[in-house]
Amino acid sequence: MKNWTKAAFLTGALALGPVMASAQEFNPLDWRSVPEMDDQITMKIGHSVNMEWSSHTATLKRFAELVSIYSNNEIRPEIFPGSQLGNEREMVQQARQGALHVTLPATNNIAALAPSLNVFILPYLATSTEQVNYLQDEITPFLVPRVIDEAGVRIVGWENSGWRAFFYKSDEPIETPADLADLKMRVPPNPIMIASYEAWGGNPTPIAWPELYNALQQGVVEGGDNPVTDVIGMKFDEVINRMTTFHYTILTHPIVVSEVWFQGLSEDHQAAVLRAGEEATDYIRWWQPIDEANWWEKAREAGVEITAIEDETEWLEKARAIWPDYYEAIGSDGEAVAQRALDILAAYPGD
């Protein structure tokens, strides 16, 4: 059990006992077929992706089903995908107000409202998926009260979409930072991510995600970076011909719950939400790598040429050199927060 949910889970453990026992049996319901009951609590969930292939969708469906099960169907989820309720920052703001109950923003987007989460955006903070998972588990108890204070939302779990890889249209592969000089690359509007490209000598161009396909098609940009699932799922293979893998950052999404809404729940229901967040995290960490392998195969079948950067030393050194300039983007104690993350990673048992 992850230590950021353990205390709250134990608070409601006795009350949830009968529900947990029933959860061992086959549950014939999914989040869409939970029967309506008197005094049922609605849990409104919004996210930015409307594709069934997305790990966003897989995560939130799992979370919704588990909340239904562990609350004995006393909480009824409703999922609104495809930015129906606004963009990711807008949905976080709605969650702060309690108008939306759960959302799944990219860490680089919610960081505009919860600066503490910029610690995860520091390039080359971690260099393996296992390190990222470990860091999330260990540092989240420290971040939860900070993010509640900053953005009015509570982190109850995590979704990782995979390592961001370069995707682009070019005659030659990207292998060294110098190869970025002649390419206009799309980046999210996050100052640390923009600075990373600048440190590599690149030409970062902030463009909204929904506008990216047309921008690639029209030559406004030649590429960008995202997990392969997004690249192929969004059919970018129709307008790019190459991808390059490296490990400067994983695309992560915290499962965040409106703190106003959460505090209005009973202890039993709070425990159900926390347990569902923990177990949805475990589920997607198992599911996502299996799914991602299929998308890499689809990329190859589509004719995308894939290059792996074998020695990332130059990339790492140039990117990490920007860290001191962006500690303040994490907070007034940004350097200490970054050091806390490094200390956790130094204790990672896999190294």
Side-chain angles (χ1 to χ4, degrees), residues 21 41 52 65 71-72 82 85 111 129 166 175 178 185 194 208 218 226 249 251 268 280 283 342:
I41 298 169
E52 288 298 311
E65 289 170 2
S71 69
N72 200 23
L85 304 180
T129 302
F166 290 130
E175 296 179 302
M185 301 290 277
I194 293 170
Q218 296 167 10
N226 266 89
T249 190
L251 176 56
D268 295 5
Y283 168 76
L342 290 173

Side-chain angles (χ1 to χ4, degrees), residues 62-199:
R62 187 73 164 192
F63 175 76
E65 289 170 2
L66 291 171
V67 170
S68 296
I69 293 168
Y70 297 145
S71 69
N72 200 23
N73 295 332
E74 292 172 359
I75 298 178
R76 180 183 178 84
E78 296 180 0
I79 300 180
F80 298 84
S83 297
Q84 294 178 50
L85 304 180
N87 64 36
E88 291 187 347
R89 294 186 189 181
E90 290 169 341
M91 284 188 280
V92 173
Q93 291 170 333
Q94 291 171 40
R96 177 200 291 272
Q97 297 162 358
L100 181 63
H101 306 135
V102 182
T103 189
L104 191 74
T107 305
N108 50 275
N109 286 330
I110 188 177
L113 303 171
S116 294
L117 291 177
N118 268 318
V119 68
F120 287 107
I121 310 302
L122 292 173
Y124 283 103
L125 176 65
T127 55
S128 74
T129 302
E130 293 75 20
Q131 286 180 340
V132 172
N133 293 342
Y134 180 77
L135 176 60
Q136 288 173 340
D137 290 348
E138 295 300 316
I139 203 171
T140 297
F142 166 76
L143 291 174
V144 165
R146 292 174 65 106
V147 173
I148 290 172
D149 183 60
E150 293 168 345
V153 295
R154 173 182 293 262
I155 301 171
V156 299
W158 289 91
E159 179 272 336
N160 296 336
S161 298
W163 289 93
R164 301 183 78 108
F166 290 130
F167 59 90
Y168 52 102
K169 185 175 183 179
S170 175
D171 293 333
E172 300 296 330
I174 295 173
E175 296 179 302
T176 69
D179 297 329
L180 289 176
D182 297 326
L183 296 173
K184 297 187 295 293
M185 301 290 277
R186 177 265 178 182
V187 295
N190 178 279
I192 298 176
M193 299 177 83
I194 293 170
S196 297
Y197 271 83
E198 292 173 343

Side-chain angles (χ1 to χ4, degrees), residues 62 133 280-292:
R62 187 73 164 192
N133 293 342
T281 300
D282 289 339
Y283 168 76
I284 207 64
R285 286 177 179 175
W286 164 80
W287 182 92
Q288 187 275 330
I290 298 171
D291 181 66
E292 183 179 7

